[in-house]
Amino acid sequence: MDNIKWVNALGIMSGASMDGAEFSLIKTDGIDVYEVYKNQKFLYPEDLKKLIRKASANLSEENIVEADEIFTSFILKAFDEFMTDVDEKIDIIGFEGHTIRFEPENHCIVQIGDAQTISNHFKPYYFF
């Protein structure tokens, strides 16, 4: 196929184990991975783990907002560190956020991570 477009995609994912966030920058056509540029895991500091556990146990607005702000800040700092030795431009970013409540039987999922703030941070510097 002559019309295949390769893109550099950054995936950011956190796990339910609350150990950290993983970043992976790849070259892909959306089906196959042609190159893995870089993978890096950033471990959550203890204060972030405590905030996530607190918000998970008690879904008050105050707890969710606090955990969301600190988690988002953590992701932004991790992104800046991740990009220090990356020369490739980023075409697209996939960001999962961090799930603090998952109850499929009640059709309920609550995630933290302010995607708009993250997008605003990434966009001026890494998208062309």
Side-chain angles (χ1 to χ4, degrees):
M1 291 184 159
D2 293 337
N3 61 351
I4 293 177
K5 178 170 175 26
W6 294 352
V7 296
N8 292 334
L10 173 64
I12 304 171
M13 186 175 136
S14 60
S17 63
M18 288 196 292
D19 58 345
E22 297 180 47
F23 287 57
S24 183
L25 180 58
I26 63 169
K27 178 186 251 182
T28 181
D29 63 4
I31 297 170
D32 296 313
V33 174
Y34 294 96
E35 188 169 351
V36 176
Y37 295 118
K38 184 176 181 180
N39 292 311
Q40 189 170 358
K41 186 171 190 171
F42 296 89
L43 298 177
Y44 290 165
E46 283 304 315
D47 61 332
L48 178 55
K49 289 181 187 180
K50 288 177 186 175
L51 285 173
I52 293 171
R53 285 188 194 104
K54 181 179 171 184
S56 296
N58 178 357
L59 293 179
S60 72
E61 182 177 355
E62 180 182 339
N63 289 345
I64 294 171
V65 167
E66 182 180 23
D68 182 68
E69 288 174 355
I70 301 299
F71 175 74
T72 299
S73 177
F74 171 83
I75 292 296
L76 296 178
K77 288 176 187 168
F79 175 78
D80 289 341
E81 183 179 331
F82 181 83
M83 293 303 294
T84 57
D85 60 351
V86 172
D87 294 326
E88 288 73 25
K89 71 180 183 79
I90 297 174
D91 299 301
I92 189 168
I93 294 176
F95 172 65
E96 176 193 30
H98 186 96
T99 302
I100 60 172
R101 180 69 56 92
F102 182 65
E103 298 175 3
E105 67 281 2
N106 295 321
H107 307 285
C108 174
I109 185 168
V110 179
Q111 289 185 312
I112 56 172
D114 185 339
Q116 187 62 60
T117 297
I118 290 167
S119 176
N120 292 345
H121 182 81
F122 294 162
K123 197 172 186 177
Y125 304 104
Y126 303 106
F127 292 90
F128 300 96

